[in-house]
Amino acid sequence: MIIANCFVGSTIYSQEIKEIIKENNGLKLTDTIFSKKDSIIIGKKDSLNSTIKDSLSLGKPKDTLKKPKELLESIIQHSADSLIRQDIKNNKITLYKNAHIHYKDIDLTAGYIEIDNKTNIVTAKGIKDSVGVYSQLPVFKQGSQESVQDTIKFNFKSEKAKIWNLKTDQQGIIIKGEVSKKHNDSVIFIENIKLTSSQKDDPDYYIKIKKAKFIKDQKLVAGASQLVIADVPTPLILPFIYVPMTKGRTSGFLMPTWGENSTQGYFLQNGGYYFVLSDNFDLAVLGDIYTNGSWGLRTESGYAVRYKFSGNFDFKYENLINSLKGLTDYAETSNYNIRWSHSQDQKASPNSRFSASVNLGSSKYYKESNNEYNTNAFLNNTLSSSISFYKKFVGTPLNMSLSVTHSQNTNTEQISMTLPSLQVNMDRVYPFVGKGGAKNNAIQKTGLTYSMKGDNKISTTDEFFFKKEMFDEAKSGIQHSLALNTNMKALKYFTLSPNVNYKEVWYFDRLKKTFDDVENAVVTDTISSFSSFREYSTALSLSTTFYGMFKFKKGSRIEAIRHVVRPSISYSYRPDFSYYNEEVQKTADPTNTVEYSPFANGIYGSPGTGISNSLNFSLNNNLEAKVKSKDSTATESKKIILLNNLNFSSSYNMAADSLKWSPVSVNAGTNLFDNKLSVNANATLDPYAIDANGKKINTFNFDNNGSLFRLTSAGLTLNYSLASKSGKKTKTPNQKNADANNSDGVFGESSIASNQQTPAGENKDEVKETKLFGADIPWSLKIAYSLNYSNSARQQEISSNSLMFSGDLDLTPKWKVGFSSGYDIKNQGFSYTQLRFSRDLDSWKLNFNWVPFGDRQTYYFFIGIKSSMLSDLKYDKRQQPDRVLF
């Protein structure tokens, strides 16, 4: 038996070894029969020259013959479906059809593999099938890297390789090269390259490169490159190209967008640098520059610590110049905006939490900014912020919250802040509870609650925001509230609920009014001193619930209609606390005096004057129907709400000398057409008449030859939402959040920022399948209608009457059209209108947003590559709307 040129410790066998295996143990070809510790030493010339060490003869001398040096450091495992041939003469092994070898961290599969033991070179290529198609191309894997090629030659010893028609995917970037040389496990030199993100065999586009150097998980550096679209070379040629290939986030430059407008001239926007400061924090610094000297600066950062908290912070500042110095229309203005959001993971601390939602800045920022296109923020005239901390004291009924709030009207530029607000609450406790926590009677059910609130409130304007004058006008105070209540059954079907309330207010200043003899006028001063007042009141309410049921005959689809009625009557009493008031001389006559409250400017108001002794009435209704299901297999009937609510409320003040009845408030609401249409209506009915001047008089309207009630105001709102079956898609959290901040989408969408190719909530990796035209056209439509009527003084006026609508239509799986607009029926004019067009170009994305008319008439065109690695390969053009700075 001749055994020649075998690898010690490998699975490469001669024909004789195959026969031995077959005759004896029946081992598979992939089993290892030799190991490094085998005592059989095989020479190159003498096939019988072997020394067998007796494992039982421990006293014998060790074998002095040295084992030959292994050619490979690890075991080569190989297999094939059709053929495994060993050429003993040339020391080669051939594997055919689904061939596979594994060595160290290298895994290679192909249709044909040849192993040359003399040169340590493995050659792999595909094979042709029965119809002549070249298939089973070599797939080379080393660690996390994988590539597909036509042919590869690989040296196991030096780990160098030569590759023909390489194709590899590096983090979404597909690299195709005609000839490649693998220098080591991390460096590859490539010639005649096509760089693209298109998954197609014939890509939509590619960057043509002559030569390049690719470093694994780091970068691709190349010389001259040219953009080719649909196999048509473009004039876009760069002298060199650098593509970062690092995994995860990495620092780098952000390319700016260029353009021009009629006010600031040519500009570069959104250029800057992105910093990865740590695994939990990043920062982007962006800037804008205009040829007339205007400029802008922005910082955007995000942070997150798993299972603890996450958030983002943005600061934007713009210094805008209008016209040229020396001209009459020259103007310069500065605007800024600060946005911060912070949320805490619920698992981080179950008994405390910290959250923040901040949006503050210049009132004119959203109207004047040249680089802010938040449609909803522009149309909404309020900015608000809240930073809060909550703490639950375990083992006690107490909890505490500390907050800072901000509210800003961008039209009037008025700003209101609480800086800060502290609130301590005590959960309801039952001081008279029975043994074992029993609450069997009204005394045992008596509950006590307490709350303490301390506020420091500031009211200012944009001009004095965060200046000394802002804090000079601050007002502060502390309010204590104590409530004691219980409930009991009365007359079996009624619930009687008495309660007692106590309030104490502390202020740190008070008003002092004096008469100035010289000026002959009342002078008001604010005196810094501790002052307080106390109020108490009591109330008693009686309520019940009863049901009415109307059943239909058998055979009817409607089985029954149920009417739920909840009437309630309550009595409240508050004494007269006018004894806290003080008197001041009004004129030169000492007897001509007038009362005033020293607490009139307090943030919690002043003590109530006059006795409050009133009865309050309310009646709530609800209608439901029980309907048989159209599905014959359904076992239960379906409940349908016919009327969500129909509520009436009014009150009677027994202590008033006139106009004792308050107007009747009516509210009604329901949902129709399978909850697609939401209808809400309200009205105010006044029982008193008015005189010729439109002033209410103490005479019932019925006694003044009128109806029982006088309709003084009414309102109607309709919200209709419908969509095709294919248009009813489950929304992502981002899309739900976008809708929540966009007034149900009726205001339209914000224009996409220059550095953002994918709108919020859209999956950029989603692959859309093209279907037959007209087979399926998803669509959605939202309509909102509002009507308000006013007749408090016989004016009979429609105060507002408007219709708003928005929708989306998928003309094809890749063409999408959207619109949003409205019409003011009263003033006869269209409201903010926006048209949206988008096209999915597979590896590209096209967007066009257009506001055809109005104060913000503009358009924005964008086309760019979806891949974030090549996000700078884009073109966008925006028409800046003409802004009036002053």
Side-chain angles (χ1 to χ4, degrees):
M1 181 175 63
I2 299 174
I3 305 176
N5 294 336
C6 288
F7 292 164
V8 176
S10 71
T11 57
I12 301 175
Y13 317 112
S14 66
Q15 185 64 33
E16 290 80 1
I17 294 177
K18 295 179 187 177
E19 295 295 331
I20 294 173
I21 294 172
K22 185 175 180 181
E23 293 175 1
N24 293 278
N25 299 326
L27 298 176
K28 295 181 180 179
L29 293 177
T30 54
D31 291 339
T32 302
I33 62 171
F34 295 125
S35 67
K36 295 181 179 180
K37 295 181 181 180
D38 287 340
S39 57
I40 299 177
I41 308 299
I42 301 170
K44 290 185 178 180
K45 296 181 179 180
D46 189 356
S47 61
L48 299 177
N49 185 17
S50 62
T51 303
I52 302 176
K53 180 180 179 179
D54 188 352
S55 59
L56 297 178
S57 301
L58 301 178
K60 292 182 179 181
K62 294 183 178 180
D63 191 352
T64 57
L65 295 178
K66 295 182 179 180
K67 297 179 182 180
K69 185 178 180 181
E70 297 182 43
L71 297 178
L72 300 177
E73 298 177 358
S74 183
I75 298 174
I76 298 179
Q77 299 177 1
H78 65 268
S79 64
D81 288 352
S82 178
L83 175 67
I84 301 179
R85 176 184 297 169
Q86 181 172 6
D87 185 347
I88 299 176
K89 182 178 179 180
N90 297 315
N91 202 7
K92 293 183 179 179
I93 295 178
T94 302
L95 309 175
Y96 186 78
K97 200 171 185 179
N98 291 327
H100 171 244
I101 65 172
H102 182 79
Y103 171 70
K104 296 169 64 175
D105 64 339
I106 298 173
D107 193 87
L108 178 63
T109 59
Y112 173 88
I113 297 178
E114 180 185 274
I115 306 174
D116 191 330
N117 297 323
K118 291 182 178 180
T119 59
N120 302 322
I121 293 177
V122 174
T123 303
K125 58 186 177 180
I127 59 175
K128 291 185 178 180
D129 56 19
S130 58
V131 294
V133 177
Y134 194 62
S135 60
Q136 298 187 29
L137 298 179
V139 178
F140 182 86
K141 297 180 182 179
Q142 185 172 20
S144 60
Q145 300 295 314
E146 180 178 343
S147 63
V148 181
Q149 45 271 312
D150 284 354
T151 306
I152 181 173
K153 286 190 175 182
F154 182 77
N155 190 307
F156 277 104
K157 189 172 183 181
S158 64
E159 296 191 356
K160 294 182 178 181
K162 190 172 184 179
I163 304 167
W164 288 265
N165 292 331
L166 167 73
K167 181 181 178 182
T168 180
D169 190 334
Q170 301 293 326
Q171 304 174 45
I173 300 299
I174 298 173
I175 303 174
K176 297 180 179 180
E178 286 188 4
V179 181
S180 307
K181 293 182 180 180
K182 186 173 181 290
H183 184 68
N184 51 44
D185 62 349
S186 60
V187 178
I188 301 177
F189 297 93
I190 315 173
E191 291 183 355
N192 298 327
I193 306 164
K194 292 182 178 180
L195 188 70
T196 182
S197 61
S198 176
Q199 300 288 339
K200 299 177 181 178
D201 292 334
D202 187 11
D204 301 324
Y205 80 97
Y206 58 88
I207 300 174
K208 185 178 180 181
I209 305 172
K210 186 66 177 176
K211 294 181 180 180
K213 179 181 179 180
F214 169 70
I215 302 178
K216 173 185 172 183
D217 294 336
Q218 291 188 26
K219 58 191 173 183
L220 184 142
V221 183
S225 60
Q226 182 180 23
L227 178 63
V228 179
I229 300 178
D231 291 328
V232 178
T234 69
L236 183 58
I237 301 175
L238 296 176
F240 65 92
I241 187 171
Y242 175 89
V243 181
M245 294 289 185
T246 55
K247 290 186 177 180
R249 302 176 304 160
T250 182
S251 300
F253 288 98
L254 299 174
M255 298 299 293
T257 299
W258 62 272
E260 59 89 19
N261 64 40
S262 59
T263 306
Q264 279 79 35
Y266 292 97
F267 60 77
L268 292 175
Q269 289 182 338
N270 302 311
Y273 198 84
Y274 175 74
F275 300 89
V276 179
L277 302 178
S278 70
D279 292 338
N280 308 107
F281 180 69
D282 62 6
L283 173 67
V285 180
L286 305 170
D288 308 332
I289 187 170
Y290 304 81
T291 53
N292 77 332
S294 301
W295 57 275
L297 178 67
R298 289 182 305 287
T299 61
E300 302 174 359
S301 65
Y303 57 89
V305 177
R306 184 175 294 181
Y307 307 125
K308 289 187 178 181
F309 55 82
S310 62
N312 55 72
F313 179 85
D314 299 342
F315 172 75
K316 303 181 180 182
Y317 181 87
E318 289 184 352
N319 186 75
L320 301 179
I321 298 174
N322 186 40
S323 187
L324 298 174
K325 281 188 177 182
L327 298 181
T328 56
D329 61 344
Y330 175 82
E332 184 175 357
T333 184
S334 298
N335 292 312
Y336 68 94
N337 182 258
I338 299 173
R339 277 180 277 191
W340 176 37
S341 66
H342 178 95
S343 60
Q344 179 178 301
D345 194 302
Q346 295 181 354
K347 307 183 194 71
S349 178
N351 297 313
S352 64
R353 61 177 177 268
F354 176 80
S355 62
S357 176
V358 175
N359 185 8
L360 60 86
S362 305
S363 294
K364 295 181 180 179
Y365 175 78
Y366 288 104
K367 297 179 181 179
E368 296 182 352
S369 173
N370 275 335
N371 199 12
E372 181 65 53
Y373 299 91
N374 189 318
T375 300
N376 194 50
F378 167 75
L379 297 175
N380 194 346
N381 62 352
T382 59
L383 301 178
S384 60
S385 306
S386 176
I387 304 174
S388 62
F389 173 76
Y390 170 85
K391 173 69 175 178
K392 170 70 176 177
F393 298 97
V394 181
T396 71
L398 299 176
N399 61 77
M400 177 204 73
S401 64
L402 181 66
S403 63
V404 176
T405 63
H406 150 265
S407 179
Q408 183 174 349
N409 188 310
T410 58
N411 285 339
T412 63
E413 299 187 5
Q414 293 291 322
I415 301 173
S416 299
M417 301 183 69
T418 55
L419 198 66
S421 175
L422 172 66
Q423 188 160 350
V424 178
N425 297 311
M426 183 183 73
D427 297 334
R428 188 184 302 275
V429 297
Y430 298 90
F432 310 112
V433 70
K435 292 183 179 180
K439 302 172 187 175
N440 300 322
N441 53 54
I443 300 298
Q444 293 177 344
K445 294 179 181 178
T446 300
L448 177 68
T449 59
Y450 166 78
S451 67
M452 186 274 287
K453 185 178 183 181
D455 293 313
N456 181 45
K457 292 190 175 182
I458 298 173
S459 181
T460 185
T461 62
D462 268 20
E463 182 182 0
F464 302 111
F465 194 41
F466 280 111
K467 294 181 180 178
K468 180 180 181 298
E469 292 84 353
M470 163 181 159
F471 299 96
D472 292 341
E473 300 297 327
K475 298 178 181 179
S476 57
I478 298 176
Q479 176 179 279
H480 304 267
S481 299
L482 196 69
L484 193 68
N485 56 64
T486 186
N487 65 82
M488 64 192 77
K489 286 292 183 180
L491 302 177
K492 191 177 180 179
Y493 299 106
F494 294 87
T495 300
L496 187 65
S497 303
N499 64 78
V500 177
N501 300 286
Y502 173 82
K503 181 176 73 173
E504 182 168 337
V505 177
W506 297 348
Y507 290 138
F508 304 100
D509 55 30
R510 58 186 293 147
L511 295 181
K512 182 63 177 178
K513 294 187 177 183
T514 57
F515 182 76
D516 190 337
D517 295 332
V518 178
E519 298 291 338
N520 196 24
V522 177
V523 178
T524 303
D525 294 322
T526 301
I527 302 174
S528 297
S529 65
F530 177 80
S531 58
S532 64
F533 69 87
R534 284 151 287 280
E535 283 186 332
Y536 53 86
S537 62
T538 184
L540 181 68
S541 65
L542 185 68
S543 62
T544 188
T545 302
F546 57 88
Y547 305 87
M549 183 75 72
F550 180 79
K551 295 185 178 180
F552 290 80
K553 295 181 180 180
K554 290 185 177 181
S556 175
R557 188 161 176 259
I558 302 177
E559 296 182 353
I561 293 178
R562 188 178 73 163
H563 183 200
V564 182
V565 184
R566 295 182 176 88
S568 175
I569 182 173
S570 62
Y571 169 76
S572 61
Y573 174 81
R574 189 208 65 213
D576 181 13
F577 294 99
S578 59
Y579 56 81
Y580 283 105
N581 292 345
E582 298 177 357
E583 289 187 349
V584 61
Q585 184 178 330
K586 188 177 181 181
T587 64
D589 184 2
T591 61
N592 187 6
T593 60
V594 64
E595 281 191 354
Y596 72 94
S597 173
F599 310 102
N601 286 343
I603 58 177
Y604 304 120
S606 55
T609 58
I611 297 175
S612 176
N613 190 17
S614 62
L615 289 171
N616 305 293
F617 309 91
S618 67
L619 181 65
N620 300 335
N621 296 269
N622 173 267
L623 278 177
E624 293 179 346
K626 195 174 183 181
V627 181
K628 291 182 180 178
S629 176
K630 293 182 180 180
D631 187 359
S632 59
T633 61
T635 58
E636 295 184 359
S637 301
K638 183 180 179 181
K639 287 185 179 180
I640 298 177
I641 297 178
L642 301 178
L643 194 63
N644 282 335
N645 60 79
L646 176 59
N647 304 332
F648 303 88
S649 63
S650 183
S651 63
Y652 180 77
N653 189 354
M654 295 179 288
D657 56 358
S658 62
L659 304 174
K660 294 186 176 184
W661 284 99
S662 66
V664 178
S665 296
V666 184
N667 293 279
T670 188
N671 294 323
L672 304 174
F673 308 120
D674 196 19
N675 294 329
K676 292 184 178 67
L677 176 62
S678 175
V679 182
N680 290 280
N682 64 82
T684 303
L685 306 174
D686 201 321
Y688 293 103
I690 57 177
D691 58 18
N693 297 321
K695 185 178 180 181
K696 190 186 297 187
I697 59 177
N698 192 32
T699 302
F700 288 115
N701 196 54
F702 181 77
D703 296 334
N704 198 34
N705 298 322
S707 58
L708 180 61
F709 292 101
R710 183 170 52 87
L711 180 63
T712 58
S713 66
L716 174 67
T717 60
L718 303 174
N719 289 278
Y720 190 58
S721 177
L722 67 161
S724 62
K725 290 184 179 179
S726 54
K728 297 177 181 178
K729 300 177 181 179
T730 303
K731 294 186 177 182
T732 64
N734 287 338
Q735 289 172 322
K736 292 179 180 179
N737 183 64
D739 282 351
N741 292 296
N742 200 28
S743 302
D744 295 328
V746 295
F747 288 158
E749 296 179 358
S750 301
S751 296
I752 305 170
S754 299
N755 287 341
Q756 179 186 359
Q757 289 88 354
T758 305
E762 182 176 328
N763 184 4
K764 68 180 180 181
D765 297 324
E766 180 183 1
V767 178
K768 297 182 178 180
E769 180 182 356
T770 303
K771 301 179 181 178
L772 292 176
F773 175 78
D776 188 15
I777 302 180
W779 58 271
S780 63
L781 178 66
K782 295 179 181 179
I783 301 175
Y785 175 74
S786 176
L787 173 67
N788 288 290
Y789 170 78
S790 180
N791 188 35
S792 58
R794 290 200 188 96
Q795 69 268 35
Q796 297 183 359
E797 176 189 14
I798 300 294
S799 55
S800 66
N801 188 10
S802 61
L803 176 69
M804 301 188 73
F805 46 87
S806 69
D808 292 292
L809 176 66
D810 291 359
L811 296 176
T812 70
K814 297 186 178 183
W815 262 113
K816 186 173 182 180
V817 178
F819 65 91
S820 58
S821 184
Y823 187 75
D824 190 332
I825 301 174
K826 179 184 177 183
N827 298 316
Q828 297 184 354
F830 281 94
S831 61
Y832 183 82
T833 300
Q834 183 187 68
L835 301 176
R836 304 179 295 274
F837 305 89
S838 65
R839 166 69 176 175
D840 186 345
L841 299 171
D842 294 332
S843 54
W844 294 67
K845 179 72 175 179
L846 181 146
N847 288 308
F848 180 68
N849 291 341
W850 181 31
V851 179
F853 50 81
D855 294 337
R856 285 176 68 88
Q857 179 179 348
T858 183
Y859 71 82
Y860 177 61
F861 174 82
F862 169 87
I863 183 169
I865 295 176
K866 292 181 181 179
S867 172
S868 60
M869 301 290 289
L870 298 175
S871 60
D872 291 327
L873 191 58
K874 65 183 184 339
Y875 172 79
D876 56 352
K877 175 67 175 177
R878 188 191 304 275
Q879 180 195 34
Q880 296 284 351
D882 292 332
R883 310 287 174 85
V884 179
L885 300 183
F886 297 102

